[in-house]
Amino acid sequence: MAAYIVPSLASLSHITDYSHTITPFWASFLKNLPLLNPTSPAFSPLTFYHTTNPLLSAFLITQGLAVFTFLLSSITGNLSQVDRLWSLLPAIYVAHFTYFAHYLSLPTARLDTLLVLVILWSVRLTFNYFRKGGYSPGSEDYRWSHVRKMLPSSWAKVLVNLVLISWFQNVLLLLITLPAYFFLFISALPEAAVPNGFNGGDINAFGTVDLIFSRALILALIAGFFADQQQWNYQKARKAFEESGKQMVPEGWQREDLERGFCVTGLWSFSRHPNFLAEQAFWVMAYQWSCFLTDTIYNYACLGPLFYCAIFQASTFLTEKISASKYPEYTEYQRLVGRFMPKLSAFWESSNPQDEEEEEEEEVKKRQ
């Protein structure tokens, strides 16, 4: 049974070789599909699950979800269907791969650690999405209305929804979890397939590389949590300020900060999108973890973080275009503070637009 799930590899390098870890399993995958046919005498979803390569069975799930989210968004006119799954699916896929390691009685310390970290990532993101009203009936990300306006025809809207929103994003949420798929195969490697002395002589030992990357992922989670909380605190204060007719300034805040319309304090004084930076860093480091453990400079798991970062680049560009049109000081904020990575000047110069303007006025007075 294990042969249908984990390949018999003769080398560590085979783990990152598509022809060894994916291609050999298509035949058995197609052969097993009748097990999912309710009208067939052989109908047995559980048998299909336990005898099918976990990456291919997960890919089948992405296709089902792509159809489901496309139909639901087409019926409701709401394009945020994948958004509601965004924080949940990666944890489910990593749990899926981890389950197979336990099912086959393989070493699981590395996979268990990654699973816990991804669950924490999921909890943080899901909670933040929930408290902002993301799961409320009819709720839709404000950026989708702008995307609709950029599409020239109804057919273009349907095509973008089908290919980019429903299909591509669902596949992407599986691609970013490919490091867990590699970890599963690493656990099944015979001792003879591991180079002498690699990872201290024991490929399944939770070594220095594992400690470094797991701690780095924890730091990304912590940074993301603080960035989310700082933004939440600001938006709550701003809402209270607006509801009071701009008469009451909540304790701990300055009137000019709230009138500005966007947060420029805390982590937001170093990065315009520290939460997005932490988000991307988490999955890039998970991928790099897989590179170190497979002794490769790069591997096909790079598709996940590569497209993940590309989506963040595109969505951030649109977000900032909207912000710059709403808030007069946002262009100055863009000049002073880096989009994701902090500018070196941020560590010794003020990144508060109001403070910067006051400093410039003082300089002018001195020169006069």
Side-chain angles (χ1 to χ4, degrees), residues 321-333:
K321 184 178 179 182
I322 298 168
S323 296
S325 67
K326 289 172 61 178
Y327 309 117
E329 294 183 42
Y330 199 82
T331 302
E332 181 68 4
Y333 180 52

Side-chain angles (χ1 to χ4, degrees), residues 60-72:
L60 184 63
I61 292 172
T62 68
Q63 302 311 288
L65 288 172
V67 173
F68 172 74
T69 51
F70 172 71
L71 292 176
L72 188 59

Side-chain angles (χ1 to χ4, degrees), residues 5-114:
I5 303 170
V6 181
S8 179
L9 301 178
S11 168
L12 180 65
S13 63
H14 288 173
I15 289 177
T16 56
D17 188 337
Y18 182 93
S19 65
H20 285 88
T21 54
I22 297 180
T23 304
F25 302 100
W26 279 109
S28 61
F29 170 75
L30 295 173
K31 183 181 178 181
N32 284 346
L33 283 178
L35 295 171
L36 298 178
N37 183 0
T39 63
S40 170
F43 177 65
S44 179
L46 193 59
T47 301
F48 174 86
Y49 183 74
H50 284 133
T51 59
T52 302
N53 175 270
L55 181 59
L56 297 185
S57 60
F59 178 74
L60 184 63
I61 292 172
T62 68
Q63 302 311 288
L65 288 172
V67 173
F68 172 74
T69 51
F70 172 71
L71 292 176
L72 188 59
S73 60
S74 298
I75 293 169
T76 63
N78 189 320
L79 295 179
S80 277
Q81 306 309 324
V82 180
D83 296 344
R84 292 178 171 84
L85 300 174
W86 188 274
S87 64
L88 303 173
L89 290 178
I92 292 172
Y93 293 138
V94 174
H96 167 66
F97 295 129
T98 304
Y99 167 77
F100 273 95
H102 286 274
Y103 178 67
L104 298 172
S105 300
L106 299 173
T108 61
R110 189 174 290 122
L111 272 167
D112 289 341
T113 300
L114 181 61

Side-chain angles (χ1 to χ4, degrees), residues 93-292:
Y93 293 138
V94 174
H96 167 66
F97 295 129
T98 304
Y99 167 77
F100 273 95
H102 286 274
Y103 178 67
L104 298 172
S105 300
L106 299 173
T108 61
R110 189 174 290 122
L111 272 167
D112 289 341
T113 300
L114 181 61
L115 176 59
V116 169
L117 293 170
V118 174
I119 287 175
L120 290 175
W121 170 89
S122 178
V123 168
R124 183 214 119 222
L125 209 59
T126 303
F127 171 70
N128 198 52
Y129 190 67
F130 169 79
R131 67 178 173 177
K132 291 192 296 184
Y135 292 107
S136 301
S139 172
E140 183 185 60
D141 190 305
Y142 70 95
R143 289 169 293 191
W144 288 126
S145 61
H146 293 268
V147 171
R148 288 189 186 94
K149 293 176 184 177
M150 293 188 291
L151 300 174
S153 67
S154 57
W155 281 108
K157 293 180 176 67
V158 171
L159 191 62
V160 167
N161 184 17
L162 175 62
V163 179
L164 294 179
I165 300 175
S166 300
W167 183 81
F168 176 71
Q169 288 191 120
N170 267 298
V171 173
L172 175 61
L173 294 175
L174 172 61
L175 289 177
I176 59 175
T177 66
L178 280 175
Y181 184 61
F182 289 172
F183 290 176
L184 173 62
F185 292 133
I186 289 172
S187 299
L189 273 180
E191 189 175 337
V194 182
N196 290 333
F198 186 77
N199 199 50
D202 183 359
I203 190 64
N204 288 309
F206 199 84
T208 303
V209 168
D210 302 296
L211 287 171
I212 291 173
F213 279 101
S214 60
R215 270 49 175 183
L217 293 183
I218 291 173
L219 288 176
L221 289 172
I222 293 172
F225 169 79
F226 277 105
D228 287 343
Q229 192 60 42
Q230 287 169 359
Q231 183 66 242
W232 176 255
N233 291 341
Y234 175 81
Q235 294 301 337
K236 278 183 63 179
R238 182 168 171 250
K239 182 180 179 181
F241 178 63
E242 296 285 348
E243 289 178 346
S244 71
K246 297 187 178 182
Q247 298 301 311
M248 183 192 73
V249 177
E251 185 178 354
W253 296 94
Q254 299 294 323
R255 175 177 292 275
E256 56 266 29
D257 286 330
L258 301 176
E259 289 181 337
R260 184 180 299 114
F262 55 93
C263 183
V264 297
T265 57
L267 293 175
W268 300 81
S269 66
F270 296 98
S271 167
R272 302 200 300 270
H273 304 279
N275 51 344
F276 290 176
L277 173 61
E279 191 81 9
Q280 294 170 86
F282 183 91
W283 293 108
V284 169
M285 288 189 292
Y287 159 67
Q288 285 297 321
W289 192 356
S290 77
C291 287
F292 272 83

